[in-house]
């Protein structure tokens, strides 16, 4: 099977398995796990923030970051198809008691002016705009990157509004590699950032949130409240350290593989791909032109040995990652072409 | 002053004042206020629902209706500029713990197909779609009516999705009068409905929610939880009964006055009005063409004796109501023309 | 019927009805109702606070006061049988997302040392202690007063803990009259206070919260979020002003009537009353010694023309108020004696 | 260092490390991690429940179990010093919007009759009693066990009230071993149960919730909402399986060591221990009689090589576990005696 459903399916490397087996551990709820502490320090350095916190998932990272920066009854501005709105089970409303204002971006990229227009007035009918949340890269838009200069404009708008900026950087390193920007430069344009160790970077479990020390203190309380405080979590952190030190640069390969796959798909009759969105490791392919319903399309692919995700009513999502080689991608493209042709 | 800011500014009639002064009252938290009971029974009859509940405001009516029908972690679909999203201080997130999915309507009218596309899949990443909320008439769209046949199509979509339909009918009677439809026929297309006694109908305070008996039982608990349970509330109900029995038909006059004003404004140089939206008692006038910033425009109107509301970056909202006669409206139109001309 | 169930059953006086009928009103959501403004100013003066806000009930007053002073995830210390815990439908958890820590008082009076022991440590497992809530007079304890010196000790404990103090003074004026202390002196010992206009003071609807200006600004937003913002609310405020200016001193009469009733009941075979708790207008009578189940007891009283409230498994609560004269009370005592004797 | 602060400090065994290094994994959010599936099936069998779910901590297990069984605005009855109230950062209020009613148990054991009295009436002032939560063993009471027959009586009371029963069995296996009851028999008396893999059983991370299939479906959604869904979580599950298959019986040893330590401490001048509470692996020792403040006492112990936890104003908590041998315990007792004697 060539599994292109998501980069979450990546499995830990042998080096990660060895590191986990021999990890030095302690009770992290007491702050005594040395491997967790090393990972958090490394993550803080790589984002240029004062402090960082290990959490069990990107969803948890976003949730503690938002809950720590927004009061109940306030509002968060996010892109209309952002992960925090679309795929996080209404956690922001449930846990933080805050409302998400959904505004459409340009290929997933929030426009500073549109944010400016959406900031609320000081009026008792309206929730205060407390946070802007940016998804970079943007999943549902096809892995698109928000350029650093746009981030900085958003930061300016946010400051004028008295709001904070959070980045859902589940695929932050993909954004960094794709644009040749350091994660530190990207993170400098936001107050807080979350990134995942378990997607393209291959760790089995975990994400990081980073920001100021006082933010991390609050985020730690929120993590505890959600039951995300773990005991001998150094086991997982050992893999996370390798994710950050050994797995970042190779994301370029995933991006090249995505280009290859995207071009093949774009040239397949009945399939269209907005190539402008293929900036990292995600391809959204519109299969409406094949006349095959999307669920049937995905099922046929599976029968032929390719796993992909149905994506709305007419599209299929493919994600490249470390456990899929260039050969696999080429083979997958052939299979897609065959299925699209009704063979 | 000709006050066209909102129909909320209407003052109680002399008949209402007399009714309040002589109202028979009891302790409504014990269910013993006879005037409240009469009002609630009348409201149930007029909406064709099993039961009704008096609440202190439209916001509270919407909130108890949503909280009673949605569990924390679920989702409510509403129009992108709907009152429950825009002007209710994030109450749905705060109190019900639910997320509002904002989808754009056509002049405020939610499209059944768009709702269908926004219904969530059964997937642990996604909140369940529990409720569709319709605003009829739609305030920010300019008082537009959702036709009954559209309501019925929405009801069909909702039932297929296992979702309920709530109507924020703060101006339900305006919708009924404008379309010559009975409130009963309109309400039959939704599970629950809220309407206001204090806007066009002129009561000093209060709104109604109506629905099934078991819904009202739950709504009553939610009202208590929010502190909306009142003691000798028959004082207010006495005015509410007159609002429903004496003040409904005269809304036609407000609609005619709105037509007059809208036509005058549409003919004023520098001002444009989407006349298709002027279906009831609200006019949104775009004043960008006058070159006068909207806040300055509203201030100038005030100096000349007309109160209106700034509405976004380029528009002014005018609302007709019982305390503004046709003469006032004509006079207001002249003043607007003068201000628009920079005089 | 002699209705001794609660002082909430009081009906507005003729003077209140006249005042309501002729009240000057405006749109209070725009801050334009002159009668509301007069009431709020009067309430601020009487409590010695910067500002005050009219709300629809004591429950709503407590809820906005707590929500405005406590963040989600924090803790409120309250007496184990306090109204905010017992009778407010879990609103603090639902709306403010905060936990109530219940500690037993002495006849309803929270002990400063016990509060001190219950303050939380700075530890991520524990919610921060954000607020101490005092009920004065204490309903379920039988209308007991928290003496001003105890309030001041609690204030000292709270300040040391970085917590605020709120007073649920639904019957604040009973406490003031019973102890000969001014409401200003009592309120000086707390950050925020809520009191009811609709209980002993006889207004049909409404309560007040008072505190600093910035607190009231926040409370106003919370009131709006709960749908407690009303339009021409001056109707109700007109009665509220009379409640505060004409109805306070006569509470002494209710207290005397309660003494009379309590003594009669204490002398009735089979009934016991803790006379130390009869400090204001509430009497809790233990009827276990009569051998009659409490529900049957209350039913028999009703048949004989006395309304009282079953209170737990063995007690009946009687509340004196302006609509029950001394004669009524004496007659009620006779009826209770008859019922207790099984006649 | 002899670390007796908590059994959370236990480190994974070599066998666990090997199992983690070689664990077969998949993406558990897609339900494809075979090791997680094995663990969950084993846990379901051991508790006799239809299904089970791996969560990151006991706190998260309790939270998803409560949120899945309680609606916002309802009430949970729990012991006054229970972990869910005391140490879970007000998560029940924050996330589930529910109120905890705290009632005192007998040495941590909730009394069925007291629960019965605390069940709420059907009254709009009162939150519905939706859940009884039992902590077994009870941490702050000193590791006390709720006997199965008491559990069954509580179940009867709960059913009569229409409420569910949840067990916070963080140390469920300690209760089972101490009383010679199977976990299945214990779990049969409750609707849902949570137990930890990471305390006495030695796994590095994780807990289990178990119950009906439909409960687990809901709990899984709640886990996702809190960000507790992990990807290649089989790494952790591999250790969890060993915890359940190899580490349960040896808890008897921890209990014996606790007896030894408790007896030594009870015989130490200035220290008192309620031996009736020493039923499993926790000892609460009152050190007031030594005249040494508890924080100083704990600090002195640390200097002498023993770690223990300050517990309130006068007590120190000691917890035995697999990483502390009998010799260590005897040595620790000597050190405590020395410190108590001021040497
Ligand atoms: Ca992975
Ligand atoms: Ca009005
Ligand atoms: Ca909530
Ligand atoms: Ca009254
Ligand atoms: Ca909340
Ligand atoms: Ca452990």
């Amino acid at each position: 099977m060539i599994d292109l459903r998501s980069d979450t399916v990546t499995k830990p490397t042998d080096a990660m398995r060895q590191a986990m087996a021999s990890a030095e551990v302690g009770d992290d709820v007491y702050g005594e796990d040395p491997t967790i502490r090393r990972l958090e320090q490394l993550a803080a350095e790589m984002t240029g923030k004062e402090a960082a916190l290990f959490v069990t998932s990107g969803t948890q990272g976003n949730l503690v970051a938002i809950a720590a920066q927004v009061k109940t009854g306030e509002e968060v501005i996010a892109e209309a198809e952002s992960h925090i709105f679309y795929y996080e089970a209404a956690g922001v409303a449930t846990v933080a008691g805050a409302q998400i204002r959904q505004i459409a971006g340009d290929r997933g990229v929030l426009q500073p002016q549109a944010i400016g227009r959406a900031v609320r007035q000081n009026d008792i009918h309206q929730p205060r705009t407390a946070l802007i949340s940016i998804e970079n890269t943007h999943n549902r838009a096809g892995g698109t990157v928000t350029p650093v200069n746009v981030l900085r404009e958003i930061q300016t708008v946010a400051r004028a509004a008295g709001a904070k900026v959070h980045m859902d950087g589940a695929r932050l390193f993909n954004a960094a590699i794709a644009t040749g920007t350091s994660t530190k430069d990207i993170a400098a344009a936001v107050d807080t950032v979350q990134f995942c160790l378990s997607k393209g970077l291959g760790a089995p479990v975990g994400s990081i949130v980073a920001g100021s020390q006082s933010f991390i203190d609050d985020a730690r309380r929120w993590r505890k409240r959600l039951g995300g405080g773990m005991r001998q979590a150094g086991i997982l952190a050992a893999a996370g350290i390798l994710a950050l030190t050994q797995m970042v640069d190779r994301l370029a390969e995933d991006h090249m593989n995505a280009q290859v796959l995207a071009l093949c798909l774009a040239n397949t009759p009945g399939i269209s791909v907005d190539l402008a969105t293929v900036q990292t490791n995600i391809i959204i392919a519109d299969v409406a032109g094949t006349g095959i319903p999307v669920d049937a399309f995905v099922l046929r692919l599976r029968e032929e040995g390719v796993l992909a995700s149905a994506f709305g009513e007419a599209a299929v999502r493919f994600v490249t990652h470390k456990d899929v080689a260039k050969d696999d991608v080429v083979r997958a493209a052939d299979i897609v072409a065959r299925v699209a042709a009704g063979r």
Side-chain angles (χ1 to χ4, degrees), chain A:
Chain A
M1 277 290 177
I2 306 171
D3 192 346
L4 294 161
R5 289 176 300 173
S6 176
D7 46 13
T8 63
V9 302
T10 48
K11 292 190 180 168
T13 62
D14 286 346
M16 286 176 181
R17 285 179 177 272
Q18 286 319 308
M20 289 191 281
S22 59
E24 197 187 350
V25 298
D27 190 327
D28 183 48
V29 177
Y30 291 151
E32 295 174 358
D33 190 292
T35 311
I36 284 283
R37 290 167 82 155
R38 266 205 299 141
L39 170 62
E40 290 178 349
Q41 191 164 344
L42 175 61
E45 281 160 16
M46 289 176 78
T47 53
K49 296 297 184 194
E50 275 177 32
L53 181 75
F54 181 72
V55 291
T56 51
S57 67
T59 293
Q60 187 167 88
N62 289 333
L63 190 50
V64 301
I66 293 170
Q69 295 182 92
V70 173
K71 277 187 276 194
T72 189
E74 296 188 330
E75 196 164 79
V76 175
I77 292 176
E79 207 278 330
E81 301 240 317
S82 60
H83 199 274
I84 68 158
F85 161 67
Y86 207 91
Y87 289 125
E88 299 189 3
V92 170
T94 304
V95 173
Q99 180 168 287
I100 298 178
R101 180 165 196 174
Q102 300 133 45
I103 63 177
D106 177 8
R107 293 191 168 106
V109 178
L110 278 177
Q111 300 301 299
Q113 284 198 327
I115 293 173
R117 279 191 303 272
V119 168
R120 298 297 199 136
Q121 295 174 272
N122 183 8
D123 170 336
I124 60 168
H125 292 81
Q126 300 189 28
R128 193 178 79 83
T129 302
L131 189 77
I132 319 298
S133 183
I134 295 157
E135 187 175 332
N136 185 22
T137 69
H138 189 293
N139 181 351
R140 285 183 66 82
T144 52
V145 176
T146 299
V148 168
N149 66 309
V150 174
L151 289 176
R152 290 185 190 131
E153 287 176 52
I154 291 173
Q155 191 177 37
T156 302
V157 171
R159 285 185 179 160
K164 299 276 183 183
V165 182
H166 171 67
M167 181 182 293
D168 173 0
R171 294 183 178 86
L172 172 64
F173 289 94
N174 293 281
I177 292 289
T179 57
T181 319
S182 74
T183 48
K184 209 178 278 196
D185 281 353
I186 297 174
V190 299
D191 294 287
T192 60
V193 60
Q194 179 269 118
F195 63 79
C196 288
L197 302 164
S198 64
K199 293 194 169 72
L201 304 184
V205 167
S207 294
I208 292 285
V209 283
S212 71
Q213 184 63 55
S214 82
F215 161 73
I216 290 295
D217 292 345
D218 288 348
R220 193 177 292 275
R221 288 189 95 106
W222 273 101
R223 185 185 69 171
K224 186 77 188 142
R225 191 170 283 132
L226 304 182
M230 294 186 285
R231 295 295 174 175
Q232 285 72 33
I235 300 288
L236 300 172
I241 289 169
L242 295 186
L244 290 179
T245 51
Q246 300 187 349
M247 306 296 286
V248 169
D249 290 343
R250 64 151 305 291
L251 294 174
E253 205 179 303
D254 299 343
H255 297 177
M256 273 186 297
N257 288 341
Q259 288 299 327
V260 169
L261 181 55
L263 288 168
C264 294
L265 295 181
N267 286 327
T268 302
I271 296 188
S272 67
V273 176
D274 177 357
L275 290 174
T277 66
V278 186
Q279 301 170 12
T280 55
N281 67 328
I282 301 180
I283 303 123
I284 311 285
D286 187 325
V287 302
T290 65
I292 306 172
V294 70
D295 285 337
F297 200 99
V298 165
L299 202 66
R300 280 290 297 127
L301 287 180
R302 173 182 284 264
E303 288 164 2
E304 301 296 322
V306 171
L307 297 178
S309 303
F311 208 72
E313 297 181 345
V316 178
R317 191 188 71 169
F318 301 88
V319 184
T320 58
H321 55 77
K322 81 174 184 58
D323 295 344
V324 175
K326 188 172 178 188
D327 281 3
D328 298 320
V329 160
V330 171
R331 203 141 40 86
D334 284 350
I335 291 170
V336 175
R338 205 160 358 119
V339 166
R343 278 175 290 152

